[in-house]
């Protein structure tokens, strides 16, 4: 299983390396033994080269990489549920699955998808954070019900358990804590949605991908009932890492062993080496070559529009930092995107909205 989450339309100089990392990992076990999945927020909060085109380049890249299935993230609802269930799903060659979002008592999208991977039947169930209504425009989700994710995933697991050998749960929800600074035990002690995912997800689920919180971890989570452990993983965000869960399945279709890790996106030390790496990946992997064409075309068109001046700044306009930040105008480390703090970018957006609405 290869997984990503919170890609957020990263159509940029790293996209070819992102694609190349996926293809290298695929090659380790072969296409017939690999299922590539996403855990939502593929689109929305995107870079200019994707957002300018309504995130079509991002979906085209995921199509080129033959993404098998994606859970829906909260950002998939940014333009409203009709956009997700219409334009977005029409563009995608892969299904979006979400088990906990309903309209008039019916699921808005398929709740799961089933694949055969080297003779093993794999069921993938998706769910999105129940906080989605607080994160998107109310106008776009009128009449939509976001139910508790774990309960709905468990409902679907019970429905498909006798149809599949392996079940993968994809929750677009997670802990804020990363493995570099915390343990699974600390994440569970914090409680909330993540603790429910770990403690209450049906024991029939063999692997859990999470997302939304942009955290980085690959933990061995206890299976409810004291039946050993199973992997629970999140890849950070923006394609910086690819999650890899390797399941060993016996002749009866039971998972008897697993490994789980996050693999950093390929990188190079300088511009020349970066160009050489891209060229090698493009020459080696046909899917990467297709991704390169999509990215090159989108960035070229976006550069034309992006070069048109609309204003000027005297300093960087950033999101908030958890630590570090700028010292005498020089970035001194620290993690960006602390959503609990005021930031220059947040103030700019608020002022822009105030000015626009006042008109």
């Amino acid at each position: 299983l290869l997984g990503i989450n919170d890609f957020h339309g990263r159509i940029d100089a790293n996209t070819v390396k992102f694609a190349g990392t996926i293809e290298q990992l695929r090659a380790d076990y072969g296409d017939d033994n690999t299922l590539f999945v996403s855990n939502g927020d593929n689109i929305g909060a995107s870079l200019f080269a994707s957002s300018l085109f309504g995130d079509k380049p991002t979906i085209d890249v995921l199509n080129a990489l033959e993404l098998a299935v994606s859970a829906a993230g909260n950002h998939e609802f940014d333009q409203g549920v009709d956009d997700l269930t219409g334009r977005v799903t029409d563009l995608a060659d892969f299904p979006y699955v979400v088990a906990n979002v309903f309209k008039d008592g019916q699921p808005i999208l398929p709740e799961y998808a089933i694949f055969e991977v080297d003779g093993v039947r794999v069921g993938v169930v998706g769910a999105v954070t129940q906080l989605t209504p607080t994160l998107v425009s109310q106008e776009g989700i009128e009449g939509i019900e976001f139910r508790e994710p774990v309960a709905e995933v468990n409902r679907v697991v019970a429905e498909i358990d006798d149809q599949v050998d392996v079940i993968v749960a994809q929750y677009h929800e997670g802990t804020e804590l990363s493995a570099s600074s915390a343990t699974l035990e600390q994440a569970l002690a914090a409680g909330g949605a993540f603790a429910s995912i770990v403690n209450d997800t049906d024991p029939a689920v063999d692997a859990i991908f999470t997302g939304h919180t942009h955290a980085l971890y690959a933990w061995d989570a206890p299976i409810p009932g004291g039946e050993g452990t199973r992997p629970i993983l999140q890849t950070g965000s923006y394609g910086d890492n690819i999650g890899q869960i390797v399941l060993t399945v016996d002749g009866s279709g039971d998972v008897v062993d697993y490994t789980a890790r996050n693999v950093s996106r390929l990188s190079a030390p300088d511009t020349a080496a970066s160009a050489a790496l891209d060229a090698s990946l493009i020459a080696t992997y046909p899917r990467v070559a297709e991704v390169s064409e999509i990215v090159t075309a989108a960035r070229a068109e976006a550069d034309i529009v992006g070069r048109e001046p609309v204003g000027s700044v005297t300093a960087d306009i950033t999101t908030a930092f958890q630590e570090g930040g700028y010292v005498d105008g020089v970035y001194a480390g620290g993690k960006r995107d602390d959503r609990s703090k005021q930031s220059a970018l947040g103030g700019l957006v608020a002022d822009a909205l105030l000015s626009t609405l006042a008109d």
Side-chain angles (χ1 to χ4, degrees):
L1 300 167
L2 298 178
I4 59 172
N5 58 269
D6 299 276
F7 185 64
H8 289 297
R10 256 45 196 180
I11 302 300
D12 60 14
N14 289 316
T15 313
V16 165
K17 296 177 184 65
F18 160 78
T21 309
I22 292 169
E23 292 302 275
Q24 281 194 356
L25 292 171
R26 253 192 181 126
D28 287 344
Y29 289 89
D31 278 6
D32 292 341
N33 294 68
T34 302
L35 193 67
F36 174 37
V37 302
S38 172
N39 205 4
D41 278 9
N42 302 315
I43 60 177
S46 306
L47 296 182
F48 186 60
S50 182
S51 63
L52 178 64
F53 305 101
D55 284 320
K56 183 177 183 299
T58 292
I59 298 174
D60 288 345
V61 162
L62 296 177
N63 287 342
L65 289 170
E66 297 186 38
L67 182 70
V69 60
S70 179
N74 55 285
H75 277 280
E76 265 78 20
F77 292 89
D78 281 351
Q79 305 303 318
V81 68
D82 291 340
D83 182 67
L84 169 58
T85 60
R87 181 186 69 90
V88 172
T89 55
D90 287 347
L91 287 172
D93 293 341
F94 50 88
Y96 271 98
V97 294
V98 60
N100 68 318
V101 184
F102 291 78
K103 182 175 184 179
D104 299 327
Q106 298 297 315
I108 65 162
L109 287 169
E111 298 176 302
Y112 65 92
I114 296 177
F115 305 90
E116 186 165 313
V117 184
D118 195 31
V120 177
R121 288 178 61 79
V122 181
V124 181
V125 186
V128 66
T129 174
Q130 198 173 10
L131 296 177
T132 299
T134 70
L135 303 170
V136 300
S137 169
Q138 292 296 304
E139 183 179 358
I141 57 169
E142 186 175 352
I144 303 300
E145 179 187 3
F146 291 82
R147 298 181 181 176
E148 200 281 320
V150 176
E152 298 307 316
V153 165
N154 287 347
R155 173 183 57 80
V156 174
V157 167
E159 292 175 7
I160 69 171
D161 193 18
D162 61 350
Q163 304 175 44
V164 298
D165 303 304
V166 170
I167 299 179
V168 178
Q170 293 209 121
Y171 291 101
H172 191 78
E173 180 63 278
T175 176
E176 299 278 354
L177 304 180
S178 288
S180 61
S181 59
T183 64
L184 173 63
E185 290 71 25
Q186 289 171 316
L188 291 175
F194 180 77
S196 179
I197 289 170
V198 173
N199 294 329
D200 301 327
T201 296
D202 194 301
V205 172
D206 298 291
I208 301 175
F209 286 97
T210 60
H212 182 53
T213 53
H214 295 203
L216 182 66
Y217 49 82
W219 285 322
D220 299 318
I223 298 174
E227 301 179 18
T229 64
R230 58 189 171 192
I232 185 166
L233 181 150
Q234 188 175 173
T235 70
S237 58
Y238 307 145
D240 289 345
N241 302 278
I242 309 300
Q244 183 189 54
I245 297 175
V246 180
L247 303 177
T248 302
V249 183
D250 66 13
S252 301
D254 295 325
V255 174
V256 295
D257 197 11
Y258 71 86
T259 62
R261 62 174 181 157
N262 279 300
V263 180
S264 297
R265 183 183 59 224
L266 293 167
S267 62
D270 54 47
T271 302
S274 178
L277 175 58
D278 284 358
S280 175
L281 293 170
I282 290 166
T284 303
Y285 302 110
R287 293 188 187 99
V288 178
E290 186 176 353
V291 167
S292 178
E293 291 178 1
I294 295 165
V295 171
T296 299
R299 294 183 70 197
E301 181 64 24
D303 282 347
I304 294 173
V305 178
R307 282 196 295 267
E308 299 176 5
V310 295
S312 61
V313 298
T314 58
D316 289 344
I317 303 172
T318 70
T319 53
F321 293 90
Q322 289 185 345
E323 56 187 23
Y326 281 84
V327 177
D328 296 329
V330 178
Y331 180 57
K335 183 180 177 182
R336 288 272 301 275
D337 299 332
D338 185 343
R339 301 183 185 186
S340 68
K341 295 179 181 177
Q342 184 181 3
S343 69
L345 182 58
L348 175 65
V349 171
D351 288 342
L353 286 171
L354 181 63
S355 176
T356 301
L357 294 173
D359 294 339

